[in-house]
Amino acid sequence: MKRRVAILISGRGSNMAALIDAAAADADFPADIVAVMSNTASAGGLAIAEQAGIPTVVVESKPFGKDRAGFEAKLQAALDDARVELICLGGFMRLFTAEFVQRWHGKILNIHPSLLPSFPGLDPHGQALRAGVKISGATVHFVIPETDAGPIVMQGAVAVRDDDDAESLAARVLSVEHKIYPEALRLVASDAARLDGDYCRLVTLQSCDDSLIVPPPR
Ligand code: GAR
């Protein structure tokens, strides 16, 4: 049985689109994207989801102000209506209460454009450039109450170039995001990756000998 997945967005929804495309492209993909939910009607991703024939729901968060639990009660009702089993956050710019995260323990994935635990929060690319790292990337992780933290499902890396600015680095990391998020969802939805306390483990060990060395050795 395919897992019923909702994607939560607040903006352009390019990761959402990558997940929708991956699910549509493979009849054996272990997840069905049953809804796209946004906390703002202005999210550009809503139109992309509608074009793809995915039901969309807007639960405006603004009227709730600091009442996060009130917003979440309405969101939870929408998730219940759609019989959602797994949530993927794709640029969802709203923090959850610990209660909501606990309720969905092991069932919410997030993507963040850095190699966590480095550079959580805002402006991850600026943080990476200021730190002078030679390699950055993106991380798909299970959501825990702390922001941009939690058991890591998958990461992808890119070389940081001397002439990078936050925009150019973000563009290269974004293309990695679009590759790893569908694969991470595939692993979790098929139970090939499972939570083990603070860690996410693959059920079958896979070898991966690739190394990325930056700058490249002569
Ligand atoms: C993505 O780069 C995602 O990693 C980031 O927001 C962007 C959303 O873009 N998420 C975070 O920074 C979470 N802390 P998208 O709407 O095109 O997917």
Side-chain angles (χ1 to χ4, degrees), residues 74-217:
K74 208 163 167 193
L75 181 65
Q76 181 66 51
L79 293 164
D80 289 342
D81 277 353
R83 289 180 289 118
V84 170
E85 298 170 294
L86 274 175
I87 296 173
C88 288
L89 305 181
F92 187 67
M93 293 309 186
R94 181 87 190 178
L95 298 177
F96 292 120
T97 61
E99 291 71 27
F100 185 88
V101 172
Q102 229 32 65
R103 181 170 188 172
W104 284 90
H105 177 73
K107 292 173 181 167
I108 312 183
L109 296 177
N110 181 43
I111 189 157
H112 182 75
S114 75
L115 292 175
L116 292 174
S118 293
F119 319 133
L122 296 177
D123 190 23
H125 304 297
Q127 293 186 58
L129 292 172
R130 284 190 294 279
V133 295
K134 301 295 187 202
I135 294 173
S136 192
T139 304
V140 179
H141 63 96
F142 284 100
V143 170
I144 61 171
E146 291 94 286
T147 305
D148 297 328
I152 291 172
V153 182
M154 193 176 275
Q155 294 185 303
V158 303
V160 179
R161 298 179 189 153
D162 282 344
D163 61 356
D164 263 329
D165 56 20
E167 206 177 315
S168 62
L169 180 56
R172 280 204 313 291
V173 170
L174 191 64
S175 66
V176 169
E177 294 184 50
H178 298 163
K179 288 183 191 147
I180 66 172
Y181 212 173
E183 288 311 311
L185 175 58
R186 184 194 293 276
L187 288 176
V188 171
S190 64
D191 281 332
R194 287 215 184 114
L195 266 187
D196 175 13
D198 292 339
Y199 298 92
C200 174
R201 311 254 189 226
L202 286 177
V203 170
T204 317
L205 282 183
Q206 284 177 8
S207 66
C208 184
D209 300 328
D210 291 352
S211 54
L212 173 62
I213 302 174
V214 183

